[in-house]
Amino acid sequence: MAKNEFRKQILKQYAQQLRTEEKSRATIEKYLRDVRRFGSWLHGQEITKEQVIGYKQQLLQSGYALRSINSMLASVNSFLIFMDWPDCKVKSLKV
């Protein structure tokens, strides 16, 4: 299976999990958008705690509001739990 096809399959499974959790359609779309953004930022690198911390720092430097950053991190953390990588989760920012 090609790498992009694998990614699409994982995101489909993640979306199904979110539906099982009874998330709204808008929430599912937002979570998927945030996870895709994180994946693009990684440029194919392995997901590690350090990478997620780096992403958090990049979001801070980009000028996003703290609440927006926390929302994006919640999406990424949810995906990390889905993938059974809870040790890669990061804390939200103090508002």
Side-chain angles (χ1 to χ4, degrees), residues 23-86:
K23 303 287 187 197
S24 72
R25 187 172 137 223
T27 298
I28 293 169
E29 289 172 4
K30 186 221 177 297
Y31 274 38
L32 292 174
R33 184 174 53 248
D34 291 343
V35 169
R36 284 187 192 106
R37 176 182 287 149
F38 173 63
S40 293
W41 179 84
L42 281 172
H43 296 293
Q45 297 177 17
E46 180 182 355
I47 296 174
T48 63
K49 174 93 174 193
E50 292 73 25
Q51 289 289 34
V52 182
I53 291 170
Y55 182 63
K56 180 179 175 180
Q57 293 301 318
Q58 187 270 329
L59 291 173
L60 273 168
Q61 293 170 357
S62 294
Y64 286 104
L66 295 181
R67 289 180 191 213
S68 296
I69 293 171
N70 285 338
S71 177
M72 289 183 240
L73 293 175
S75 301
V76 171
N77 283 339
S78 168
F79 179 73
L80 294 171
I81 290 169
F82 168 76
M83 294 298 293
D84 199 25
W85 298 329

